[in-house]
Amino acid sequence: MNIRLKEEHSLRVCKEILQLGRSLDLNQNALRLAEIIALFHDIGRFEQFRTYGTFNDKVSENHATLGLKVLEETNILSRLTKTQRSIACKAIGYHNVRKLPDPADENPDCLLYSKLLRDADKLDIWRVVTTYYAQRHKHRNPALELELPDTPEYSLCFVEDILNNRISNSHNLKTYNDLKLLQLGWIFDINFTRTFHHIQQRQIIEKIITTLPDTEDIRKIQNHLKEYLEKTGNS
Ligand SMILES: [Fe+2]
């Protein structure tokens, strides 16, 4: 089930990245490279789940780096040009880092594809997790909860990060609620207007918020994110 989940996720990220790329008027070659990057971005997940039985990088290994090893061993990108291969590998390597390098420290094409991938990936992870919350009572999947305890608590550092428009550090995850807050905070790491529109249309914030405890903190977060989305999505 978890292998199929990542297989389907990868295919949907291809669709998301193509839509995003078309909205930016990328040419056919650029779109094809973006699609290849999306298709293989999580290739390390299969090896990871087979070896360790988890998607938690912290207790296994970094799935992006693992994916780069798989790509090298299988030589699957051999028909790309050297430049394309370098862009693909960097974008895949960067897809799960907390922050992309500064524009001064990395080449613009590499950053563009990395941004496309990160937006497309987040859009589909939000789809996966919000669908999961809605039917979790019927079928639990600990892998999607990173095996974190489902207790009413959440860590205040995640609340503070959101209220200060900061992306949280996954090393601080202690409960399943923390993971939901981390996923809400990804909004501060969105690169393209079109992605903001999708977040609004698909009501991502509302769908995640309803699964969190009804406290003053969470209500503050909801208002804060709503305002941020309206302001940023329309600018
Ligand atoms: Fe992914």
Side-chain angles (χ1 to χ4, degrees):
M1 186 182 67
N2 279 313
I3 295 293
R4 196 175 310 130
L5 188 105
K6 288 298 175 189
E7 203 176 297
E8 290 165 355
H9 163 69
S10 302
L11 294 173
R12 283 193 308 261
V13 176
C14 289
K15 285 193 184 161
E16 297 283 5
I17 211 168
L18 284 174
Q19 273 195 31
L20 258 176
R22 286 195 197 102
S23 78
L24 296 168
D25 277 329
L26 297 189
N27 67 33
Q28 278 306 318
N29 266 332
L31 288 174
R32 196 168 293 123
L33 180 57
E35 190 179 8
I36 291 167
I37 291 171
L39 183 63
F40 291 119
H41 83 279
D42 262 352
I43 196 76
R45 285 296 194 193
F46 305 99
E47 197 70 28
Q48 180 184 40
F49 202 79
R50 196 169 65 103
T51 313
Y52 305 97
T54 182
F55 291 137
N56 189 342
D57 286 11
K58 225 168 53 173
V59 300
S60 54
E61 61 180 299
N62 181 336
H63 74 278
T65 321
L66 186 55
L68 292 178
K69 277 189 223 155
V70 175
L71 291 178
E72 182 141 345
E73 279 161 18
T74 54
N75 215 14
I76 199 84
L77 301 181
S78 60
R79 291 176 66 185
L80 299 185
T81 66
K82 215 175 156 202
T83 315
Q84 288 173 324
R85 223 171 13 244
S86 151
I87 290 174
C89 289
K90 281 190 176 172
I92 292 171
Y94 286 144
H95 94 269
N96 64 339
V97 301
R98 183 152 158 258
K99 249 183 146 200
L100 279 177
D102 235 39
D105 300 324
E106 192 48 275
N107 119 345
D109 265 342
C110 160
L111 285 177
L112 170 69
Y113 286 94
S114 303
K115 287 176 180 174
L116 285 168
L117 176 59
R118 287 165 70 98
D119 275 30
D121 193 24
K122 288 186 177 70
L123 278 173
D124 195 65
I125 298 176
W126 279 321
R127 186 200 308 266
V128 169
V129 297
T130 52
T131 310
Y132 175 64
Y133 299 147
Q135 35 176 281
R136 178 172 178 260
H137 60 283
K138 281 188 262 167
H139 193 96
R140 291 275 281 259
N141 182 355
L144 280 181
E145 307 181 10
L146 297 184
E147 298 98 28
L148 289 162
D150 183 23
T151 56
E153 292 90 40
Y154 48 82
S155 311
L156 284 177
C157 61
F158 288 93
V159 174
E160 270 163 37
D161 283 341
I162 292 182
L163 295 178
N164 290 291
N165 300 1
R166 287 193 301 253
I167 307 149
S168 302
N169 194 323
S170 60
H171 286 113
N172 298 323
L173 289 172
K174 288 193 179 62
T175 67
Y176 183 35
N177 282 332
D178 290 349
L179 179 62
K180 295 173 182 175
L181 291 170
L182 175 83
Q183 289 165 345
L184 277 175
W186 287 347
I187 284 183
F188 305 120
D189 186 35
I190 289 305
N191 301 291
F192 303 103
T193 313
R194 202 192 159 86
T195 313
F196 283 113
H197 291 162
H198 281 313
I199 297 171
Q200 280 171 316
Q201 279 160 7
R202 298 175 191 179
Q203 299 185 292
I204 303 295
I205 296 174
E206 295 79 356
K207 286 177 185 167
I208 299 180
I209 291 274
T210 50
T211 71
L212 283 160
D214 186 16
T215 65
E216 187 60 37
D217 287 330
I218 304 296
R219 278 190 293 272
K220 253 197 237 165
I221 284 179
Q222 178 166 23
N223 289 330
H224 182 77
L225 288 175
K226 223 181 119 202
E227 271 173 34
Y228 179 84
L229 256 190
E230 279 163 12
K231 205 171 58 199
T232 322
N234 296 325
S235 62

